[in-house]
Amino acid sequence: MQKLLIPSYSTPERNRQVLLVERPTAIPEARHFAIDEEALKSPAEGEFLVRNIYLSVDPAQRGWAADVNNYSPPVPIGGVMRALAVGVVVESRHPDFVAGDFVYGWLGWQDYAVVGPQQVMSQIKNPAAPLSAYAGVLGLNGVTAYLGLNKLGRPVTGDTVLVSTAAGSVGSVVGQLARHSGCHTIGLTGTDAKVEQCRNHFGYDIGINYKTAPVAEQLAQHAPQGINVFFDNVGGPILDTGLRAMAVAGRVVQCGTASVAAWNPPPQGLRNEREVLTRRLVWSGFVMFDHMADFPAAVQELEAMIVQGKLHYDEDIEQGIEHAPGSISALYAGENAGKKLIYLG
Amino acid sequence: MQKLLIPSYSTPERNRQVLLVERPTAIPEARHFAIDEEALKSPAEGEFLVRNIYLSVDPAQRGWAADVNNYSPPVPIGGVMRALAVGVVVESRHPDFVAGDFVYGWLGWQDYAVVGPQQVMSQIKNPAAPLSAYAGVLGLNGVTAYLGLNKLGRPVTGDTVLVSTAAGSVGSVVGQLARHSGCHTIGLTGTDAKVEQCRNHFGYDIGINYKTAPVAEQLAQHAPQGINVFFDNVGGPILDTGLRAMAVAGRVVQCGTASVAAWNPPPQGLRNEREVLTRRLVWSGFVMFDHMADFPAAVQELEAMIVQGKLHYDEDIEQGIEHAPGSISALYAGENAGKKLIYLG
């Protein structure tokens, strides 16, 4: 277990913030953000002040920054970029949160956040894993994998499970959980190095580089009876190919659409309704925020697996808030080698 | 209740059959079939001879005649066209079926069929409805509506339910069942006459002519909170429009893809995965043959509704087997005014 060292310091008077200054029409890039600072605020009654330690970078931030077609209202122009983070309470006017408590939640891309309990997704009472893990494998990413797979994918022993962005922060957990459930696991990823990582680090039975291999042929070869569960994070042509390799009564979990560069104007693709019909698929959309009641139990399960050495995860940590603005586009370019975090040490 | 008159006659020595003589690449037309005759066969031990009374014409026959992308093996070239029918047992070597029994099942487009119990979908012991009804509203069509809606659509009181081919043999039953469940029902159909039929005969709250009305605007107006259940029989642009009007957590039942003229080469359309994700839809394919264990109970429910006058249905009956070959394309052209049957009187 990692000993966490919180540097001793006196709280500064300024709070640096990453603001959304231009509305992206596709993937948010550095130019859509600006770093500004404001005077540090004090918590009102019922609130507390959190110093952020690890800022999370997530594919979903693209949707939060867009102004169409999403499950939550867009970040306003001029507002702090919506983000999850792990931080430590430094001043509190709420009885359940005391200085020194670690929390994970909606803290935003900034040095400090004044929040209430409703912004907290988990209170990290006795961290059994390194603190950074609570922003990834034990945060939104890992819990999304756990609940999306188990509640919508419903794998059973012997199933063949296909995962896109198989080495990513969600996909890598899906693959490992499916393997632990006795499934045959196939991972799709975009470099040979990540194929190796899928095979040797995350325990996939099969890794396929979708950029160089003929995916449909590979799926026919490695899933001759068809795919029972397809956990898809990318959409687009990979989704189309995967759908055409599904077994009858297969479950498709749509967890992201990362491969589609823009939704306005609406992009075209293969018509998939005949696949849904003839294969009798169940194709469902998974958004974590529908399942928050299950969050704590999922964290507990995943934490136990990490402590037992049964769940591997990688992190790609950069230090300094100045790395935040360009981090989403870097994520979409596949440049990261694990869960992308910004450390505000 | 209709008194059924079976004409008295002596069994002829010849059996007229509609054979599939050319593989259709799209909708089967008269030219893909030929009418031939064979010597009448006698049932072997365990079989029985059925004289067909009502041949069913179904959109699904298009898929059964195609050689790709379906849920059952294609009808062989030179084989009798696969079809459901209601008939009467005229000679039996099976203890459970005696001469005079009515049966509904896989009897094919022909005058006579020699079959066993596995070809029978229901034994019509004491018909409480007109015999023709057992080939439609109390056969594949009605039961598909009943089970597709209830098992996959899962409407609850107050839901808004959208139905395509709303006046068709499946859609008209879906609309009535949804209304009986306390749902707000919207029917899409292709002529003003059918819109009227939806409103005044099948009890839809709203009828929309998709060929003349702006469908997206109409749905926004009549389903301001979004659609909870979309029972889709057509696919294509109507499906795309419906998906974009769904409420969060809506259920889409894909029961047919009648509007898409050909699947080879694969047609293009709007990408729908972002709708599945952000609206958290559950989009499922319904094929009746997965649910045969539920068939008898569904027939019983529907039969009771008919007897009580709670379920309306229309029939479009032509007399003579010579009408069978052109009947599928007529169905796709929307020329029928109710469940299409061929009466072999």
Side-chain angles (χ1 to χ4, degrees), chain A residues 40-85:
Chain A
L40 198 59
K41 288 177 184 146
S42 292
E45 188 59 38
E47 294 182 332
F48 40 95
L49 176 67
V50 178
R51 181 169 75 79
N52 286 337
I53 302 171
Y54 289 104
L55 305 182
S56 180
V57 183
D58 287 287
Q61 286 179 294
R62 171 188 171 181
W64 306 339
D67 66 356
V68 286
N69 201 10
N70 215 308
Y71 44 83
S72 54
V75 177
I77 294 296
V80 177
M81 182 58 199
R82 186 179 302 154
L84 291 158

Side-chain angles (χ1 to χ4, degrees), chain A residues 236 240 269 271 273 280 290, chain B residues 236 240 269 271 273 280 283 290:
Chain A
D240 296 342
R271 289 215 154 275
E273 56 266 39
R280 290 87 105 187
D290 297 334
Chain B
D240 296 342
R271 289 216 152 275
E273 56 266 38
R280 290 87 103 187
W283 184 1
D290 298 334

